Amino acid sequence: MSRTFYVSTPIYYINDVPHLGSAYTTVAADVLRRYHALRGDDAFFLTGTDEHGLKIQRAAEERGIASQALADDVSRIFEETWPQLGCAPNDFVRTSSERHKRGVQELWKRIADRGDIYLGHYEGLYCVGCEGYYTEKELEQPGNVCPIHKKPAEVVKEESYFFRLSNYGERLLRFYEEHPTFVEPEGRMNEVKSFVASGLQDLSVSRTTFNWGVPVPGDPRHVMYVWFDALSNYWTALQEPSKHARYWPPTVHLVGKDILRFHAVYWPAFLMAAGFSDAELPKKVLAHGFLTYGGHKMSKSLRNTVSPVALAEAVSPSVGVDVVRYCLMRSISFGNDGDFSIDDVLSRYGTDLGNTFGNLLHRIHPFAGETLAPANDGPLEADLRAAARTAARAAAEAFDASSPTRALEAIWLGLMAANAYIDKAAPWSARKHGDEARVAAIVTAMAETLEAYTVMVAPVMPKVAELMRAQLGLEALTPAIGRDAWPFETPTRVPESKLVKGDPVFPRHDKDVAAALKQQFSPPSEDAKPMNAPAETTTESRPVATTAPAEMKAEISYEDFAKIDLRVGVVVAAERIPRKDRLLSLKVDVGEPAPRSIIAGIALAYTPEEVLGKRIAVLCNLAPRDFGKGLVSHGMLMAASHDSVLKLVAVPDELPPGSPIK
Ligand code: ME8
């Protein structure tokens, strides 16, 4: 039986056009929708635009146009942009649409009829940027400055309807206890709990000083508070009874951390007050971090945005959209902030996508015959397929936990193993020895494994998946409800199918193009450092010896030396760390069930490609070292240096990973 999966993005304000930050959430939602569709789930992805409120009314006034005209123009841009980024929402809600207005008035009436809305007076502080009420304690002093928009909050004093939020504190806390993963990551759940536990005040839910909003039923002097109006979209989009029965309640609301409270406190409270049981409440609110650019949150209000469509086109006219999707999902691990940098995009394009993935196909093409042979595996092929199965399993677990970053990491470990396989299987050498049966076995195993990887990457890079499949002689993927197309049982290629030689999917950028991209997409230099970034210190990299030989250290006993656990390691994954010029993030196989994460200060001496596959000496029992931002090193590579030249200590090829060095 198919499961339903209902994922939403926040509905975006229309005071400007979509940017890479809003694209982040939308792409993440689309990735999850595509993954679930591949698994045979009945997936529903909702997005839309949040068109009412003082912020929009003022933006329209600034431009000298009617609010509705501004809403129509900008909402259309959002609706047209998402497909250009490969996103295919199943529905697009506009809060100025009649269906939404009817729905939100219905929700209001249900709450009012149950007695939880009353008329009163509001006096307090309001940030128009957030469309949110604040207490003095929550604002920066002096001046009651909004911590997000860096502008003073306004004093608001008017008649207002109130929602009896104070009635819902206990039920919310009970709900959180019974549904401990309602908010993720866990730390955010704790923040929400302590906010609720500190006592909830009733919430002003209507305004009289402007009119761009949904009129309050029975009292059109008031328009609804924009967050009451906006949050309801997740419900008003499902007004058709059949749709409601099929998809309600939402499986996961994806939101930026700035709007967590609205989704994790107000929204369930509104639904409770309208008579929804706990089982009918949304299942999860997943709060992600911000995409920063030159260190500042990328945001319409701060006017430091990057157009995702322009970036995609500039990076690659054919697959740029998928490259942007990949970089967004890979570089910003869900929950944390991550900085956008064109260097990171270019490096991932060349390394992860070109060298590690696209190149696999081109490494077997020269050996492909007319048709693919039946599978004829030896031990190396068994390992290749096992690595792909492990990747598929780990990626599925990560996608199920709504973590595309982890899924991609797992898939890329598999792709690294596939590269190592080709190195070891060496079809060129089999050909030299005239062993065509072996060449055919290698090409077939590789083609079948690549097929599985096209499925695994498809949620993130649908276009790339299809291009690669075409070159593998495969049909396009056609997910269907109830049919699980996730690897990995049997390859779907028809016997005797052909590889189709094609152009590289990720052609290299020539130097001029790369330089032009850097120029076009670099933040202004005075902003180039992230806010709160730790100063670059030499503690991040191992010291490099100067010309004078280092002084000999004091003698130690054999017992002291025996405490050191030095082993042979093989680097199975390597990547740069955005904004850490000296560091590489490595996965090193030291003979344990899973490779270790090691952060090494060798990026000035080695590129990720140069260290990949290297056999090196690793100090394994050094206490873990935290470099901040989730970067923890579990070991240290041995390197020697002279005159600023740093070289890793090499180990002979015959020694397997984990061999002790004594
Ligand atoms: O808050 N990094 O709309 P909004 C990551 N209308 N995500 C970002 C981002 C960034 N730099 N900038 C924006 C609103 N986002 C309300 C929502 S929902 C009922 C009403 C994403 O246009 C992120 O998901 O300001 C954030 O929560 C959302 O866009 C806010 O978009």
Side-chain angles (χ1 to χ4, degrees):
M1 216 189 63
S2 71
R3 300 168 300 175
T4 54
F5 177 79
Y6 169 10
V7 59
S8 67
T9 72
I11 50 171
Y12 300 106
Y13 286 133
I14 48 159
N15 56 333
D16 210 336
V17 291
H19 58 80
L20 210 53
S22 35
Y24 176 66
T25 322
T26 316
V27 167
D30 187 71
V31 165
L32 296 182
R33 174 194 68 81
R34 284 178 187 272
Y35 165 75
H36 281 275
L38 273 173
R39 299 308 307 255
D41 296 343
D42 183 4
F44 180 73
F45 159 25
L46 180 70
T47 188
T49 42
D50 185 356
E51 304 178 9
H52 289 135
L54 187 52
K55 174 151 137 166
I56 306 305
Q57 185 166 321
R58 284 189 183 163
E61 281 162 8
E62 265 174 33
R63 288 173 216 195
I65 56 175
S67 302
Q68 186 66 59
L70 174 70
D72 291 346
D73 283 353
V74 187
S75 177
R76 190 173 335 104
I77 298 174
F78 274 89
E79 206 166 351
E80 288 172 359
T81 297
W82 301 140
Q84 294 176 52
L85 292 174
C87 300
N90 299 84
D91 199 353
F92 189 95
V93 192
R94 295 188 54 186
T95 53
S96 71
S97 66
E98 285 310 314
R99 69 162 174 163
H100 171 78
K101 286 193 247 176
R102 261 198 319 277
V104 69
Q105 286 183 325
E106 166 65 24
L107 198 70
W108 178 288
K109 273 192 258 166
R110 287 194 196 181
I111 299 174
D113 288 350
R114 295 167 64 94
D116 279 331
I117 289 180
Y118 63 93
L119 191 60
H121 271 88
Y122 180 78
E123 192 171 340
L125 295 157
Y126 191 82
C127 169
V128 179
C130 302
E131 295 281 12
Y133 299 103
Y134 279 98
T135 61
E136 274 183 20
K137 240 176 31 203
E138 293 166 324
L139 296 168
E140 289 172 3
Q141 301 301 344
N144 291 328
V145 173
C146 167
I148 294 169
H149 293 91
K150 305 290 172 202
K151 288 191 181 154
E154 299 178 12
V155 178
V156 170
K157 195 171 170 187
E158 60 186 314
E159 182 185 272
S160 172
Y161 283 96
F162 283 83
F163 169 66
R164 280 188 217 283
L165 184 62
S166 56
N167 274 358
Y168 289 90
E170 270 179 36
R171 184 164 159 201
L172 281 168
L173 287 173
R174 206 169 51 241
F175 178 75
Y176 302 146
E177 279 311 312
E178 286 165 9
H179 303 83
T181 58
F182 173 63
V183 171
E184 283 188 342
E186 199 182 343
R188 300 269 172 215
M189 178 81 262
N190 295 335
E191 270 172 32
V192 167
K193 276 190 201 163
S194 51
F195 172 73
V196 174
S198 70
L200 294 176
Q201 290 181 1
D202 290 352
L203 186 71
S204 161
V205 285
S206 76
R207 304 290 304 270
T208 53
T209 46
F210 64 93
N211 57 12
W212 178 235
V214 181
V216 165
D219 193 351
R221 291 174 306 132
H222 290 252
V223 292
M224 292 180 195
Y225 172 43
V226 64
W227 273 100
F228 184 90
D229 171 0
L231 287 162
S232 309
N233 88 86
Y234 305 122
W235 183 70
T236 65
L238 301 182
Q239 286 305 287
E240 263 173 50
S242 61
K243 258 196 181 170
H244 190 270
R246 189 160 154 193
Y247 294 117
W248 189 265
T251 318
V252 51
H253 290 311
L254 295 184
V255 300
K257 61 185 180 181
D258 52 335
I259 56 172
L260 176 60
R261 184 183 298 175
F262 298 100
H263 285 80
V265 181
Y266 300 169
W267 177 223
F270 293 155
L271 291 171
M272 287 170 179
F276 288 66
S277 70
D278 285 4
E280 292 167 320
L281 299 181
K283 299 287 174 222
K284 190 183 294 297
V285 180
L286 195 61
H288 62 73
F290 291 146
L291 185 69
T292 58
Y293 185 38
H296 302 283
K297 180 191 173 201
M298 190 178 282
S299 94
K300 291 172 285 201
S301 307
L302 298 179
R303 302 205 178 276
N304 65 341
T305 59
V306 169
S307 154
V309 176
L311 175 67
E313 271 164 18
V315 169
S316 157
S318 55
V319 293
V321 168
D322 283 19
V323 177
V324 169
R325 289 170 65 101
Y326 174 80
C327 291
L328 285 175
M329 293 301 101
R330 182 81 204 248
S331 304
I332 305 158
S333 107
F334 235 88
N336 299 332
D337 288 354
D339 200 58
F340 165 76
S341 87
I342 188 65
D343 288 340
D344 185 48
V345 173
L346 294 178
S347 134
R348 289 197 182 280
Y349 179 82
T351 309
D352 301 12
L353 298 176
N355 293 352
T356 308
F357 187 28
N359 207 22
L360 278 178
L361 194 54
H362 294 277
R363 294 184 77 184
I364 54 167
H365 259 145
F367 303 99
E370 268 297 284
T371 56
L372 286 179
N376 182 13
D377 288 358
L380 286 180
E381 287 68 40
D383 285 353
L384 169 74
R385 292 183 200 265
R389 270 196 302 275
T390 304
R393 235 187 342 260
E397 262 175 37
F399 278 131
D400 280 332
S402 303
S403 176
T405 318
R406 274 203 290 122
L408 289 173
E409 280 164 7
I411 296 167
W412 253 256
L413 273 184
L415 289 171
M416 300 283 189
N419 276 285
Y421 162 79
I422 287 273
D423 289 341
K424 283 193 226 148
W428 47 89
S429 147
R431 169 142 303 165
K432 212 158 94 193
H433 293 100
D435 189 352
E436 283 305 314
R438 181 73 191 129
V439 172
I442 296 168
V443 171
T444 303
M446 198 58 219
E448 290 183 353
T449 310
L450 266 174
E451 172 184 350
Y453 285 111
T454 66
V455 181
M456 289 185 240
V457 301
V460 178
M461 298 193 290
K463 205 165 172 186
V464 164
E466 292 318 336
L467 284 174
M468 298 270 260
R469 290 177 72 82
Q471 295 195 18
L472 288 164
L474 295 163
E475 303 271 301
L477 282 168
T478 46
I481 293 174
R483 184 169 58 81
D484 189 344
W486 188 256
F488 226 121
E489 298 315 327
T490 1
T492 61
R493 73 180 174 86
V494 284
E496 314 250 300
S497 58
K498 291 180 184 176
L499 295 193
V500 182
K501 287 191 185 169
D503 292 333
V505 179
F506 306 102
R508 281 188 191 288
H509 288 130
D510 72 31
K511 271 202 190 120
D512 293 346
V513 172
L517 278 164
K518 283 188 189 192
Q519 168 104 34
Q520 189 182 350
F521 292 101
S522 289
S525 57
E526 69 274 15
D527 283 340
K529 232 176 165 38
M531 277 187 304
N532 307 325
E536 290 285 331
T537 64
T538 48
T539 56
E540 286 183 351
S541 61
R542 313 242 309 278
V544 171
T546 54
T547 325
E551 256 189 50
M552 288 293 173
K553 293 182 184 160
E555 182 178 287
I556 57 167
S557 66
Y558 180 77
E559 281 71 23
D560 283 335
F561 171 72
K563 286 185 194 155
I564 290 176
D565 195 338
L566 263 182
R567 287 170 193 262
V568 174
V570 174
V571 180
V572 294
E575 56 183 12
R576 292 194 187 283
I577 302 172
R579 314 206 70 79
K580 301 276 182 202
D581 294 347
R582 295 163 185 269
L583 301 182
L584 289 186
S585 167
L586 308 175
K587 295 262 188 266
V588 182
D589 179 357
V590 288
E592 295 167 317
R596 286 186 179 214
S597 295
I598 295 184
I599 309 296
I602 56 171
L604 299 182
Y606 290 90
T607 65
E609 302 90 87
E610 284 168 338
V611 280
L612 200 60
K614 261 200 189 312
R615 205 163 284 262
I616 44 162
V618 183
L619 177 57
C620 291
N621 63 337
L622 188 67
R625 174 148 170 216
D626 194 341
F627 287 86
K629 303 208 164 163
L631 298 171
V632 181
S633 187
H634 298 273
M636 186 191 260
L637 313 190
M638 295 295 98
S641 52
H642 178 72
D643 265 358
S644 306
V645 174
L646 180 99
K647 288 285 168 200
L648 286 169
V649 174
V651 173
D653 277 342
E654 300 79 317
L655 294 169
S659 311
I661 302 177
K662 296 186 276 201

